[in-house]
Amino acid sequence: MYKNGEGKKTVFKILVVEDDAALNRSVCTFLCNSGYEAIGCLDAEAAFDAMYENVFDLIISDIMMPRIDGFEFARNVRAINESIPILFMTAKDDIASKQRGFRIGVDDYMVKPIDFDELFLRIGALLRRAKIASSRQLSAGKFTMDADEYTAYLDGEEVSLTKREFNILYKLLSYPKKTFTRSQLMDEFWDVDTETTPRAVDVYMTKLRSKLAQCDDFEIVTVHGLGYKAVIK
């Protein structure tokens, strides 16, 4: 929840699209008990009806659903709303499905069975990220990034980054303290048919650290055995 200019609390509204009625009910109950307002729909058609009647702050969607699957649903949502966070909650754990989802515009991906504590953390990160996305700019002390211009500046001086370097760093800084595995970063920023190994991510982190050696406002931290995270100082 957050407070508006008049000091009143505004509750974030979340749409849950899941054809397993028991899981749908469990997720909605958990979200409502966690301070959100959740509305559950058992298929994409009902979800579209709900979207006409409500303004949602975030969407959680299954992939394997009758008639309209999660990919088509997300694609249609993105056609009318480019900024609302979408989190896939699915049993499909293959790289091709993840890659397809990210290319459509899905923001995050959780594999069933769902850990509700992790779901709560991811929702909070996505809602914070949505506020950042509205301006398409990030800042950490004297370091700034503009996603529309693909530019980065440190204390007023431009830092030269390739598009992939920019995207990786923007992702890390969008979710400070959240650890991303090498595989997660590969899924999102490399082609699905690439022959590059996840260790290629290490190369990019080394380049980023070198280019940002003079930056004292945040640090790219290696989480041994997992991956990387950005820690703002």
Side-chain angles (χ1 to χ4, degrees):
M1 291 186 294
Y2 65 91
K3 292 183 178 180
N4 62 20
E6 298 176 351
K8 298 178 181 179
K9 289 184 177 179
T10 301
V11 179
F12 290 110
K13 186 175 289 188
I14 299 175
L15 174 62
V16 180
V17 193
E18 165 62 59
D19 63 336
D20 182 323
L23 178 57
N24 194 315
R25 185 167 51 252
S26 295
V27 172
C28 287
T29 299
F30 169 77
L31 293 176
C32 290
N33 290 339
S34 300
Y36 298 108
E37 180 181 346
I39 294 179
C41 294
L42 297 178
D43 56 49
E45 293 169 344
F48 287 129
D49 290 339
M51 292 179 69
Y52 285 126
E53 298 173 0
N54 301 270
V55 177
F56 292 100
D57 299 290
L58 183 143
I59 296 173
I60 298 173
S61 176
D62 189 12
I63 291 181
M64 295 179 287
M65 297 186 292
R67 294 181 296 279
I68 300 174
D69 67 14
F71 294 120
E72 184 177 353
F73 172 65
R75 187 181 297 107
N76 289 335
V77 170
R78 277 288 170 260
I80 58 177
N81 189 323
E82 296 181 354
S83 60
I84 186 170
I86 302 174
L87 186 155
F88 267 172
M89 181 177 68
T90 177
K92 294 178 73 66
D93 191 24
D94 58 287
I95 293 177
S97 294
K98 293 179 180 180
Q99 185 70 43
R100 184 179 176 189
F102 284 128
R103 283 179 172 172
I104 289 171
V106 170
D107 298 276
D108 206 349
Y109 200 110
M110 290 189 70
V111 177
K112 298 175 183 176
I114 299 300
D115 182 281
F116 282 175
D117 290 334
E118 182 181 357
L119 177 63
F120 179 80
L121 292 174
R122 292 195 183 212
I123 287 172
L126 286 171
L127 290 171
R128 288 191 298 272
R129 173 72 178 81
K131 291 184 179 181
I132 295 168
S134 64
S135 65
R136 300 282 290 169
Q137 293 182 346
L138 277 174
S139 62
K142 297 179 180 179
F143 182 76
T144 61
M145 302 183 76
D146 188 317
D148 290 322
E149 301 292 335
Y150 274 94
T151 54
Y153 290 88
L154 177 60
D155 199 15
E157 295 291 327
E158 185 169 3
V159 179
S160 178
L161 299 175
T162 66
K163 186 174 181 179
R164 184 173 287 159
E165 289 170 348
F166 183 97
N167 286 336
I168 291 172
L169 184 58
Y170 195 87
K171 184 77 171 185
L172 293 178
L173 287 175
S174 294
Y175 300 86
K177 296 185 180 181
K178 173 179 170 60
T179 299
F180 290 91
T181 67
R182 294 175 178 85
S183 295
Q184 285 176 318
L185 295 171
M186 288 286 293
D187 289 347
E188 187 163 357
F189 300 119
W190 274 263
D191 292 334
V192 67
D193 56 353
T194 182
E195 296 182 0
T196 305
T197 69
R199 288 296 174 182
V201 176
D202 299 339
V203 176
Y204 274 81
M205 294 304 176
T206 299
K207 291 179 179 178
L208 284 170
R209 284 168 172 158
S210 176
K211 291 183 177 183
L212 298 167
Q214 303 303 314
C215 182
D216 298 323
D217 299 302
F218 67 90
E219 180 183 5
I220 299 174
V221 176
T222 301
V223 182
H224 294 291
L226 289 175
Y228 296 92
K229 64 181 179 180
V231 177
I232 297 176
K233 299 178 180 180

